[in-house]
Amino acid sequence: MILLSKRLGAIAAQVKPGSRLADIGSDHALLPAFLALNGRIARGIAGELNKGPLTAAKRQIAAAGLGSLVEARQGNGLDVLDPGEADTVTIAGMGGALIAEILEAGRVKGKLSGVRHLILQPNVGEQLVRIWLRQNGWLLVGEEILEEDGKIYEILSAYPAIEVEDGAAAEADLYRERELAGFGVLGEADWLAFGPYLLKQAEPVFLEKWRRETAKLERVARSMAGSELEEARQKRLKVLEEIKRLKELTACLQKDKPLFN
């Protein structure tokens, strides 16, 4: 039996039955092995860059008797794939900048050909992933946020916008300016930073994440308070402005049924 963490379990739940899955940075092939054992995928590829994790993934696959369904391959990012080989790609447990870099390299090399579903879980830098999706024709169709072992994770799900009915209109609506009653106007930069679905749902764990981020900024502001340099003073003022806006936003979102116009 393979047991998944809460985080990996949430990712597994988003994989559609019958998918041909490529899990990049697979970490012992836990995700594809679990899905294969439960009959959820037609085929799985566990991609690993380094020899140690690759060996562990192969060992996991063999121990589960999944050699005919799941294959571990060594390579950098999406290089482990042939175009059209997978229809679903999961990338989890990395920084957002690295995930965006992997996706961009895969796009340039044609490795995303045939991929119909991206499930991405950045540890930090979620905004960078949303920006890449927005700029490269992928429609964000869902977001999930959860806390496990004191850490907060976001999971982003995206389809090729061209393959979604009225995808262009849905994309435009997702990031259009909206007014949040009691706060003000939220624009594209806000939706990309906070997540359009997460911001509208404003779950307690989402509010907790941004309280923590605000606390980090407050520590930064305190560390800059003693500097007499004009550049540092100007940076501190910007940080203080961001802190003020975040506090106002989270306070507004804690009200019953926040109203977005």
Side-chain angles (χ1 to χ4, degrees), residues 176-229:
R176 70 175 174 84
E177 285 191 351
R178 286 181 171 84
E179 185 174 354
L180 173 59
F183 175 75
V185 175
L186 293 163
E188 179 176 344
D190 296 307
W191 300 116
L192 289 169
F194 297 106
Y197 299 97
L198 298 179
L199 184 53
K200 290 175 187 176
Q201 294 160 2
E203 296 178 3
V205 66
F206 173 83
L207 295 173
E208 174 61 21
K209 171 182 176 170
W210 288 101
R211 279 192 288 267
R212 293 181 188 182
E213 293 299 321
T214 301
K216 289 179 185 177
L217 289 174
E218 288 176 327
R219 289 193 292 271
V220 170
R222 285 195 297 270
S223 72
M224 301 168 70
S227 177
E228 297 180 358
L229 296 175

Side-chain angles (χ1 to χ4, degrees), residues 3 29 46-47 55 94 100 111 117 131 133 156 166 172 180 202 255:
L3 298 177
T55 300
M94 307 178 193
K111 301 293 186 175
H117 193 186
I131 289 172
L133 294 171
L156 315 181
D166 297 324
L180 173 59
K255 298 176 183 177

Side-chain angles (χ1 to χ4, degrees), residues 72-147:
R73 298 179 184 175
Q74 186 172 15
N76 188 12
L78 293 168
D79 286 350
V80 299
L81 287 181
D82 291 327
E85 194 173 19
D87 56 32
T88 301
V89 168
T90 51
I91 310 177
M94 307 178 193
L98 180 55
I99 290 177
E101 182 181 310
I102 289 171
L103 292 171
E104 179 61 17
R107 182 193 68 80
V108 170
K109 297 175 182 179
K111 301 293 186 175
L112 289 173
S113 175
V115 175
R116 300 293 176 265
H117 193 186
L118 293 175
I119 305 170
L120 311 168
Q121 182 269 298
N123 286 344
V124 295
E126 298 87 355
Q127 179 181 12
L128 299 175
V129 178
R130 293 189 187 97
I131 289 172
W132 187 91
L133 294 171
R134 177 125 169 82
Q135 292 178 343
N136 289 278
W138 288 84
L139 175 64
L140 189 65
V141 295
E143 297 174 309
E144 184 175 353
I145 188 167
L146 58 92
E147 183 173 3

